Amino acid sequence: MFRKAYDNLADSLLQSTSTTYYGFGEETATAIEAVNIAIEDDYPQRARDIERILAPGLQRIRRSTARLWPTCAAPARCTGSSWTAGEDSRPGRKLAPGGLARDPHFRIKLITCSVVDALYRDHGIYTYYTLNGDNPLVAGPPLVVTPDEVEYFLTSLDATLAKGLPRLLTRFVREKVAPTWPAES
């Protein structure tokens, strides 16, 4: 199979295909069982249930924090349990030092990282950012999340954003950029 796909074994190992799927019966059985569980537990319905809480909650937060985040131009979007939200990256890159200013998304990455960091440190919530698009903050709760946990996320995000951009950025930059080695005696 590798020879037909890649013409030689060496090239097939360069692609991570060889470590992902071998076509063994175990992997096939596991995949079939995973599909069965997704159907039995009705994951599509669970995603819609999460969306019914997240969508209006994120819209409410967007409206309530508009004064603190005036450049927030991108509404939360997606469906189910995977949502993105962020700031418009067009206002400029004034915060970017030196070579970083060449990255057209530096500002939004910095802002998003400060929000991700605060959510994790202050509330124990794991979010992340993507490297594509203008809306890199991603909230993707697992499909087994409870409605109370979704509400906790929304409350935590609202509290985090209510701190304001200057405070979040200052904390994040101070912790990530400040030297961590001991001062000279």
Side-chain angles (χ1 to χ4, degrees), residues 47-126:
R48 288 188 294 276
D49 292 344
I50 293 168
E51 180 179 2
R52 274 194 276 286
I53 301 169
L54 271 179
L58 290 171
Q59 289 293 52
R60 177 184 47 78
I61 290 169
R62 182 172 184 251
R63 284 190 305 272
S64 72
T65 59
R67 181 182 56 78
L68 295 170
W69 299 82
T71 61
C72 187
R77 58 184 177 217
C78 285
T79 59
S81 67
S82 181
W83 286 78
T84 62
E87 269 199 292
D88 183 356
S89 61
R90 291 172 294 180
R93 298 181 297 269
K94 294 176 186 170
L95 298 171
L100 293 175
R102 284 179 278 207
D103 181 352
H105 298 289
F106 175 79
R107 181 175 184 272
I108 186 63
K109 288 176 185 176
L110 181 64
I111 291 167
T112 302
C113 285
S114 70
V115 173
V116 167
D117 183 68
L119 281 170
Y120 184 73
R121 286 175 179 262
D122 300 341
H123 304 282
I125 294 174
Y126 179 76

Side-chain angles (χ1 to χ4, degrees), residues 50 53-54 141 145-155:
I50 293 168
I53 301 169
L54 271 179
V145 71
T146 66
D148 287 342
E149 291 168 325
V150 176
E151 290 293 346
Y152 175 73
F153 163 73
L154 291 169
T155 301

